[in-house]
Amino acid sequence: KVYLYNYRIMRRLIFVLLTLPFFLTSCQKSEAVRLMNGIETYIQTRPDSALAVLSQIDTSLLRHPKERARFALLYAIALDKNYIDTTDIRVIRPAVEYYPKHGTAWQKMLTYYYEGRILFNAKRDAEAIISQMHALDNAKNTESGRYLGMIYTAMADLSGRAYCWEEADSYLTRAQRAFLDVNDSTAYVLASENIIINLSNQGKKENALEMANSLMNNDLPSFLLADILIKKAGIMVDTTKVDYHPALACYQQAFQMGGKPSKIQLARYAYSLGRCGFDNEAEQVFQQLMGSDESAASAAKPWLQALLADKGDYPNAYRILRESLDVQSETVHQLINQSLFR
C-alpha cells in the first residue's frame, strides 16, 4: 500500500512537472493577447504608451500566424504614430503574409497602408504606390474613417516625390473631402498645408502665400498655426530679394508658439538671420545643422553657400559648393556601382 501510494504521488508530481511549462507559456501567451486587446483601444490616442507596452511583449510566445500578424500591425501603427519612420519591411511582414488572405477589409486596408508607409520611408516608391492602391480598394469596402484621407495623402506624397504636382494636388483635394466627411478639421488643415507646399514647389509662390493667409484667418490650434507660419516664412525667404525681416518675424512667431521646423526650414531661418544682420545667431544655427546628421548638413549647405556669396565671402562660398558637388558625385558613383553589380 505504501508503495502504491508513493507511486501515485510520483505520477502526479511528474505530471505537474511536465505540464507546468505549457501552463506557464499559456498564461504568458494569454497575457500578450490581453495586452494587445487593450492596446487596440488606445493606440490612436496614446501611441507612446502603446509602443511601450508592445515593446515588452515576448513575440516568441506568439506561435499562430494570426497572433503574429496582429502584433506586427499594431507595432507598425505605433511606430508611425510616434513619428518613427522605420524602413524595415520585416516589421509588418507577418501582417502582410496573413491579412490579405484571412483578414477583414479593415485589416487589409491597415496592413497595405502601413506597408506603403514603410516602403515610402525606404524610398521604394514603385512598391509603395501598389500597396496604397490596395489600401484604397479595401478602404472603399469598409468604414475607413479618417484612413481614406490618410491613404490619399500618402499617394500625394508619392506623386510629389515623383514631381507629379498636379496629380499630388488631386489626391490632396480628395484627402480634404475625406477628412471633411468625418469632421476631422485638423487633418483637413494638414492636407491644406501639403497643398501649400505643392504650390510652392510648382513656383506658384503667390498662390501658396494666399492659401496660407486664408488658413491663418481661421480659429486654429496653436500647433497648426505655427506649422502654417513656418511654411509661410519659408516661401517668403524663397521669394524675397531685399528685406528678410518679415520672413524672420514669421519664423520667430512660429517658434514662440512651439513650432518645430524641418531641417530645410531651419536652414532657411539661419539664412534669414544672416540677411538681417544677426551673423552670430545664423552661424550657431548653421553649425548645429552641419554638426548633425548627413541630411541636416545637406539641407544647410545650399543656404550657407548662398549667405556667404551674398556677403561677398566668395572663397568660402565656393568651398561649400565644392563640398556639395563632391558628395553628389560620390552618391552618383555609388549608384552606378550598385547597378553594375546587380
Side-chain angles (χ1 to χ4, degrees):
K1 290 182 179 180
V2 174
Y3 173 78
L4 288 174
Y5 177 78
N6 290 338
Y7 176 71
R8 288 170 184 165
I9 293 294
M10 185 63 68
R11 284 183 61 187
R12 290 174 185 173
L13 181 60
I14 292 172
F15 176 78
V16 169
L17 292 174
L18 289 174
T19 58
L20 183 61
F22 297 101
F23 175 76
L24 293 175
T25 300
S26 178
C27 289
Q28 290 174 323
K29 176 183 172 181
S30 298
E31 175 66 7
V33 172
R34 186 189 67 80
L35 289 173
M36 288 193 288
N37 289 339
I39 288 167
E40 286 182 339
T41 66
Y42 61 80
I43 192 169
Q44 300 292 339
T45 55
R46 292 187 286 125
D48 53 340
S49 299
L51 183 59
V53 175
L54 284 166
S55 299
Q56 296 173 4
I57 293 177
D58 184 357
T59 55
S60 66
L61 300 173
L62 306 176
R63 304 290 176 84
H64 195 280
K66 182 178 180 179
E67 296 163 353
R68 293 197 296 270
R70 188 184 185 193
F71 176 87
L73 181 55
L74 286 172
Y75 195 68
I77 294 172
L79 288 176
D80 191 74
K81 294 288 183 184
N82 282 281
Y83 305 100
I84 301 173
D85 296 332
T86 182
T87 59
D88 188 356
I89 197 66
R90 292 173 298 180
V91 167
I92 201 169
R93 184 168 292 155
V96 174
E97 292 174 348
Y98 182 82
Y99 284 130
K101 294 179 181 178
H102 307 287
T104 63
W106 172 261
Q107 291 166 330
K108 292 175 186 177
M109 177 194 71
L110 292 179
T111 298
Y112 283 124
Y113 171 75
Y114 285 103
E115 179 191 34
R117 292 288 297 164
I118 295 173
L119 290 168
F120 177 82
N121 295 337
K123 295 184 170 57
R124 294 163 59 178
D125 292 4
E127 298 167 82
I129 192 63
I130 293 172
S131 295
Q132 296 300 352
M133 291 297 290
H134 285 314
L136 182 60
D137 288 341
N138 284 283
K140 295 175 180 177
N141 296 321
T142 185
E143 291 293 328
S144 58
R146 68 194 302 269
Y147 270 100
L148 180 59
M150 292 166 65
I151 293 165
Y152 280 132
T153 301
M155 294 172 77
D157 290 340
L158 287 159
S159 298
R161 197 144 76 179
Y163 305 105
C164 300
W165 306 120
E166 292 183 2
E167 185 177 275
D169 284 341
S170 175
Y171 283 131
L172 286 170
T173 301
R174 292 183 223 178
Q176 286 180 310
R177 287 199 295 266
F179 290 133
L180 283 178
D181 287 342
V182 294
N183 298 316
D184 193 334
S185 57
T186 298
Y188 174 85
V189 173
L190 291 173
S192 302
E193 287 185 40
N194 284 335
I195 293 177
I196 292 171
I197 295 171
N198 280 351
L199 289 170
S200 178
N201 288 334
Q202 294 175 71
K204 301 176 181 178
K205 306 289 185 180
E206 293 301 322
N207 293 340
L209 286 173
E210 287 178 12
M211 188 169 186
N213 289 328
S214 176
L215 285 174
M216 289 167 60
N217 289 331
N218 298 309
D219 184 18
L220 299 175
S222 58
F223 77 94
L224 283 178
L225 185 56
D227 279 348
I228 297 169
L229 281 167
I230 288 172
K231 290 175 175 62
K232 178 182 176 180
I235 297 168
M236 293 169 72
V237 170
D238 289 343
T239 55
T240 300
K241 301 298 180 185
V242 181
D243 186 8
Y244 288 82
H245 286 87
L248 182 59
C250 210
Y251 273 125
Q252 291 172 336
Q253 183 183 355
F255 297 159
Q256 288 171 0
M257 299 174 70
K260 297 178 181 180
S262 64
K263 294 166 185 175
I264 188 67
Q265 288 287 14
L266 201 55
R268 285 190 177 97
Y269 169 63
Y271 175 81
S272 62
L273 280 170
R275 289 301 303 265
C276 292
F278 299 101
D279 295 337
N280 290 335
E281 292 84 349
E283 183 179 355
Q284 288 176 3
V285 177
F286 276 125
Q287 284 180 348
Q288 176 187 341
L289 287 166
M290 298 290 283
S292 186
D293 55 49
E294 186 177 335
S295 62
S298 297
K301 284 180 180 179
W303 291 100
L304 177 56
Q305 175 209 333
L307 181 61
L308 291 170
D310 291 340
K311 290 183 173 294
D313 189 354
Y314 298 112
N316 280 319
Y318 178 73
R319 176 180 58 80
I320 298 294
L321 175 61
R322 287 299 312 169
E323 288 177 3
S324 300
L325 291 174
D326 288 343
V327 170
Q328 293 177 12
S329 178
E330 179 62 27
T331 301
V332 170
H333 282 305
Q334 288 177 357
L335 291 172
I336 291 173
N337 289 333
Q338 288 173 6
S339 64
L340 288 174
F341 282 106
R342 282 179 182 172

